[in-house]
Amino acid sequence: MDKTSHHVWTGNSICLISQLRHRTRTSERNVIIDFDFLGIARGGLLDACLEDAPVPLSINYGAALKRVLKGAAKNASLSSILGAPVNQLYPWQIDALFAGFEDEIEKWHVTSSLTLSSQARHVFKHCRQKLADGTNVSECGFTTRFASPLRTSTLPLAESFYDAFDSQKLAEPLSAIEFETRSDLDNRALAHLQIRLEKLLELCESIVDEYLALQEILRRTAELPPPTQLTPKMRSEPPRIWWRLQLLREWSHEQVEQIFC
């Protein structure tokens, strides 16, 4: 397969240029997502995220997304979000979309639900377009319902595979590093561990920063009197419990408003 810097469209189908790496071997794979087959409109959220997805994409991410979409797209509410322009969507709709993904994964009755959820959502964090309120899709703060499985492995952390890394080489364990000489291996292994540690420290710092920012928001909010009436933003964003009912029962937005408004 020829090297390419972008995924390939044919009509309303996109071929995700993907790779499968196992230890030191790499094989090329394709994942086809057909918008017509799924019944999802072009030019919306899914279209934008796939356009911005890295090339090549790990086969795990593409395969998990395709499997989830096959079931989730049958839900009219989820299909509508996936086909809607990014700048017309709000964070609560992204949250509802990901919750719908996990509804689908739950039906599979697998032990890898947490991993599959993360993999299916992976391409959405690469979307460069802004939501209606100016935030990024990756900033929506979705909380998974799946618990982390108990670790039974005695492997050291350096030998664990972490699919949270965008770089396939960083995601792979230390023993998968390719090298030519012992000195080359030592240098590559040290760099591998240092980059992983830096990424971990960056993540810790971002979590602390987000916690402090949230604390400040809560402090300022506590000092404000309660609103005398609903603000335009409150009216434009239904509470998430209404949206969950809409997803579960496939109600229309008008039906939800008739009952709760």
Side-chain angles (χ1 to χ4, degrees):
M1 183 171 60
D2 295 333
K3 299 295 182 182
T4 179
S5 59
H6 59 276
H7 301 296
V8 181
W9 286 96
T10 302
N12 288 327
S13 295
I14 186 170
C15 174
L16 300 178
I17 309 303
S18 307
Q19 283 187 341
L20 173 64
R21 285 183 63 88
H22 180 69
R23 296 293 181 179
T24 59
R25 293 184 300 173
T26 300
S27 56
E28 297 176 335
R29 294 287 189 273
N30 290 336
V31 175
I32 307 296
I33 294 182
D34 188 336
F35 280 62
D36 289 339
F37 174 79
L38 295 171
I40 298 173
R42 288 287 310 276
L45 173 67
L46 181 61
D47 194 325
C49 292
L50 295 179
E51 281 281 3
D52 293 341
V55 180
L57 183 70
S58 168
I59 189 67
N60 296 328
Y61 302 139
L65 176 62
K66 181 175 182 177
R67 185 179 178 187
V68 167
L69 288 175
K70 186 176 181 180
K74 297 176 181 177
N75 183 299
S77 298
L78 298 181
S79 180
S80 176
I81 294 174
L82 289 165
V86 179
N87 62 6
Q88 294 180 15
L89 295 171
Y90 287 89
W92 64 267
Q93 290 172 296
I94 305 302
D95 183 273
L97 174 66
F98 292 161
F101 280 7
E102 294 201 338
D103 289 341
E104 181 64 24
I105 292 172
E106 240 175 2
K107 300 175 185 176
W108 303 345
H109 303 293
V110 294
T111 58
S112 56
S113 297
L114 179 64
T115 299
L116 288 169
S117 175
S118 175
Q119 291 173 343
R121 291 182 277 113
H122 179 80
V123 299
F124 291 87
K125 73 178 183 179
H126 293 283
C127 182
R128 293 192 288 264
Q129 297 183 31
K130 299 286 186 180
L131 295 171
D133 63 352
T135 61
N136 293 317
V137 175
S138 59
E139 298 171 341
C140 293
F142 177 73
T143 301
T144 179
R145 74 187 68 167
F146 300 127
S148 179
L150 295 176
R151 289 186 177 273
T152 57
S153 174
T154 57
L155 287 174
L157 291 177
E159 283 303 299
S160 301
F161 184 92
Y162 293 104
D163 60 10
F165 283 104
D166 293 335
S167 168
Q168 187 73 17
K169 290 185 177 180
L170 281 178
E172 292 178 338
L174 196 63
S175 59
I177 292 178
E178 300 177 2
F179 64 95
E180 296 180 358
T181 65
R182 177 57 186 270
S183 176
D184 182 39
L185 172 61
D186 291 343
N187 292 333
R188 289 173 181 263
L190 180 59
H192 181 88
L193 294 174
Q194 286 177 332
I195 294 175
R196 272 196 169 193
L197 179 59
E198 289 171 2
K199 292 288 185 183
L200 180 59
L201 290 174
E202 288 176 6
L203 178 60
C204 292
E205 290 175 358
S206 68
I207 291 173
V208 172
D209 289 342
E210 290 176 4
Y211 169 74
L212 294 175
L214 179 59
Q215 263 194 332
E216 179 61 20
I217 292 173
L218 293 175
R219 184 191 65 77
R220 293 200 307 267
T221 304
E223 296 174 353
L224 297 173
T228 56
Q229 59 183 6
L230 293 178
T231 65
K233 187 172 183 179
M234 290 177 180
R235 294 183 184 279
S236 66
E237 297 188 25
R240 290 181 181 179
I241 184 62
W242 302 358
W243 182 256
R244 294 292 294 136
L245 285 172
Q246 184 177 345
L247 284 176
L248 291 172
R249 303 195 179 193
E250 296 193 357
W251 289 347
S252 68
H253 188 69
E254 290 74 18
Q255 287 174 302
V256 174
E257 285 189 330
Q258 288 174 3
I259 295 174
F260 292 100
C261 299

